Amino acid sequence: FLGYLKANNKSMKYDKELAQAVWKYKKNTGITVDDLITPRLVSSLNVPMADRIKSIIFNMERCRWISSDFNQAEEFIFINIPSYELRYFKNGKTILESKVVVGKAMNKTVVFNADMKYIVFNPYWNVPKSILKKEILPAIQKDPNYLVKNDMEWHEGIVRQKPGPKNALGQVKFLFPNSNAIYLHDTPSKSLFDREKRAFSHGCIRIEKPKELLHLLMKEDKNWSPEKIETTLTERKEKWYTLQKKIPVFIGYF
């Protein structure tokens, strides 16, 4: 009925034609793309059509929440929370797709939009007070060398993690100032991108392809060459840069 399979040949074998239909269905419904018949696939196929229609109605309503600037921007970044995906659009075309990790249930990533203004190379990670209280301080009590082992230090009354391979923000973060204190960043925990459901963060958004995004954002900036970008990333010194052109970032739930 959905058109993924041209005809039912009534064969009891899981043939190549059916496997290709399964692959296409998974790709369009946000399930990890392969040709395996999994419990999640069977569950998805059994969702009643009435429920699908309700989902479409909900998403149409959510479209009304998005700023009208969305339709007018020549380039923008769109992050869809439930599909764990980032897309960078320019002149109506997708120039980058990347998996993302979003906030877990206790720290959900919120729906909003703001303009990206700054790039931070080799950022310090200033540990939020909530994480300091719940995770870092108990860890220090168990192991007095915890901060040293994790490249952390006390700085002006807070704990921060130094730039380097252990840094929770990776090599770069992308800032679009907002009241939710949410931003995009690299991560050393690359294995999380292999998971089908990727809600693990404290609210900020981790990107699978931070370098690709960085190079695209700086491509038309005469102050930066690809070589200079890569050299700066290896210096392990925090460096802020103001983008010459603000890029709208939209975070939605569809």
Side-chain angles (χ1 to χ4, degrees):
F1 289 129
L2 296 176
Y4 292 99
L5 195 63
K6 291 180 180 178
N8 181 3
N9 60 17
K10 298 186 179 180
S11 168
M12 295 303 291
K13 290 185 178 180
Y14 186 37
D15 55 24
K16 185 177 180 180
E17 186 180 11
L18 184 53
Q20 288 177 340
V22 165
W23 193 93
K24 291 176 183 176
Y25 178 85
K26 285 187 173 185
K27 187 174 189 299
N28 284 353
T29 50
I31 303 174
T32 297
V33 178
D34 53 38
D35 53 13
L36 298 176
I37 299 176
T38 61
R40 188 178 178 198
L41 171 66
V42 175
S43 176
S44 177
L45 288 168
N46 280 283
V47 172
M49 190 57 66
D51 288 355
R52 295 292 190 200
I53 291 170
K54 285 180 183 177
S55 293
I56 292 170
I57 292 171
F58 289 144
N59 284 328
M60 289 171 69
E61 177 61 27
R62 287 175 180 136
C63 283
R64 295 171 62 183
W65 304 352
I66 297 291
S67 166
S68 59
D69 297 340
F70 185 73
N71 292 324
Q72 298 167 6
E74 290 183 5
E75 63 180 302
F76 60 89
I77 292 169
F78 183 77
I79 295 145
N80 190 24
I81 297 170
S83 66
Y84 312 106
E85 185 178 53
L86 173 151
R87 290 191 178 190
Y88 184 4
F89 293 90
K90 192 168 185 178
N91 298 322
K93 295 182 179 180
T94 303
I95 60 173
L96 178 69
E97 291 185 29
S98 175
K99 294 178 182 178
V100 297
V101 169
V102 299
K104 51 192 173 184
M106 296 284 288
N107 310 87
K108 289 183 178 178
T109 301
V110 296
V111 173
F112 72 99
N113 63 279
D115 288 338
M116 185 183 293
K117 297 180 180 179
Y118 310 106
I119 303 288
V120 185
F121 293 86
N122 305 304
Y124 280 96
W125 177 45
N126 296 315
V127 179
K129 290 181 179 179
S130 59
I131 299 176
L132 178 64
K133 183 179 179 180
K134 294 178 182 178
E135 300 178 25
I136 306 298
L137 292 179
I140 293 172
Q141 287 181 337
K142 291 181 181 178
D143 181 3
N145 293 317
Y146 178 84
L147 293 184
V148 175
K149 290 178 180 177
N150 290 278
D151 286 347
M152 292 180 171
E153 63 183 5
W154 284 99
H155 178 74
E156 297 181 356
I158 64 169
V159 169
R160 68 179 185 179
Q161 192 173 36
K162 302 174 185 176
K166 293 182 180 180
N167 190 285
L169 305 183
Q171 291 182 295
V172 61
K173 69 177 179 179
F174 307 86
L175 297 180
F176 38 102
N178 59 86
S179 59
N180 304 294
I182 287 176
Y183 49 84
L184 308 177
H185 66 88
D186 182 17
T187 175
S189 305
K190 305 295 185 185
S191 62
L192 294 179
F193 294 110
D194 295 328
R195 306 279 188 93
E196 190 164 71
K197 295 184 178 180
R198 296 186 292 277
F200 299 105
S201 80
H202 287 87
C204 287
I205 300 166
R206 307 174 194 176
I207 319 172
E208 184 186 29
K209 301 176 181 177
K211 285 190 178 181
E212 289 91 332
L213 178 60
L214 177 61
H215 280 274
L216 285 171
L217 289 170
M218 313 280 268
K219 190 174 182 180
E220 297 174 9
D221 191 329
K222 295 179 180 178
N223 295 315
W224 293 85
S225 66
E227 294 75 21
K228 183 180 177 181
I229 291 172
E230 292 299 322
T231 300
T232 305
L233 287 171
T234 62
E235 290 175 350
R236 291 201 188 184
K237 292 181 181 179
E238 186 176 81
K239 180 182 178 65
W240 284 59
Y241 183 71
T242 302
L243 289 171
Q244 292 185 336
K245 181 167 58 174
K246 299 173 185 176
I247 308 294
V249 177
F250 297 90
I251 299 176
Y253 195 100
F254 296 96

